[in-house]
Amino acid sequence: MYEPNVVGDWQEYGEEHAGLRVRVHGLEKAEPPRGRDDAAEGLTYVRFRVTVENRTTAYFGIHLEDGQLDIRVGTDGESAFLDWRNSQFIEGFDVYPLRRVTAVLYAAADEACLGQVDIQVQLKVDDEWTHRYLWSGGVDLREPAVGVGARPEGAGDSLAAQVASFLKKETGQGPTA
């Protein structure tokens, strides 16, 4: 079964671009530097980065623009608004050996949906399309503080609760509930 990357993880490319890897990281709430777009009225902005690293002895021409990204939020996977005016894309940059290049991107969505954010990236490397990869994460995953034994309504359904439960099971602390 295909599992998405977690925001912050590196994804290695296969034989077609061996030595090249990409990651989505730095997902956080942030206001755009050149002001809010009118189309994002009432939405909350987030910033994230897409970094491409070259660990080979040859260089790669990297291209990443708005049509190569898809941002979905919430449990229903609704589309987020990608603010291309404030985002800094990678447009035809040659990434030499042992170097990195990073795009800084701004998107906006309903704040209630930002607990689950899926970002799909498809690079163009040397005029060839690469495989699409998916990263999953969220903004403000911390649960509100509650008393011992208390459980807020719907807390077990949130992405944060699922991650916390998984981590506790993995560390041998047993299930949460």
Side-chain angles (χ1 to χ4, degrees):
M1 180 170 107
Y2 175 77
E3 293 183 21
N5 296 294
V6 174
V7 169
D9 286 350
W10 286 101
Q11 172 64 55
E12 303 278 341
Y13 280 96
E15 293 178 19
E16 73 277 4
H17 301 293
L20 193 65
R21 65 185 191 162
V22 64
R23 78 175 175 159
V24 172
H25 59 105
L27 180 63
E28 62 187 353
K29 288 183 188 176
E31 284 298 314
R34 293 190 258 315
R36 298 176 66 87
D37 190 293
D38 292 339
E41 182 72 32
L43 301 176
T44 300
Y45 267 91
V46 295
R47 175 180 56 217
F48 63 94
R49 290 169 169 72
V50 176
T51 298
V52 179
E53 182 179 67
N54 182 357
R55 302 184 320 156
T56 68
T57 57
Y59 71 88
F60 290 104
I62 304 297
H63 193 84
L64 177 66
E65 60 184 3
D66 57 345
Q68 295 167 251
L69 295 156
D70 193 4
I71 300 106
R72 302 287 170 162
V73 296
T75 56
D76 290 333
E78 293 184 21
S79 182
F81 170 74
L82 179 61
D83 189 337
W84 58 268
R85 187 179 58 126
N86 281 295
S87 296
Q88 300 166 353
F89 297 99
I90 303 168
E91 299 182 40
F93 189 82
D94 291 336
V95 182
Y96 281 82
L98 306 176
R99 297 286 191 267
R100 292 179 178 174
V101 62
T102 299
V104 180
L105 304 145
Y106 288 86
D110 181 19
E111 187 169 12
C113 296
L114 293 177
Q116 183 172 339
V117 179
D118 294 331
I119 302 169
Q120 186 170 269
V121 177
Q122 183 178 24
L123 293 177
K124 195 170 188 182
V125 178
D126 293 332
D127 295 324
E128 293 179 21
W129 293 103
T130 62
H131 184 75
R132 287 187 300 267
Y133 289 106
L134 179 68
W135 281 263
S136 291
V139 177
D140 290 338
L141 290 178
R142 288 162 276 168
E143 289 292 319
V146 295
V148 176
R151 182 175 159 151
E153 184 67 30
D157 298 334
S158 72
L159 180 60
Q162 293 172 23
V163 170
S165 176
F166 172 77
L167 292 174
K168 285 182 181 179
K169 287 177 189 174
E170 289 296 308
T171 59
Q173 296 179 7
T176 62

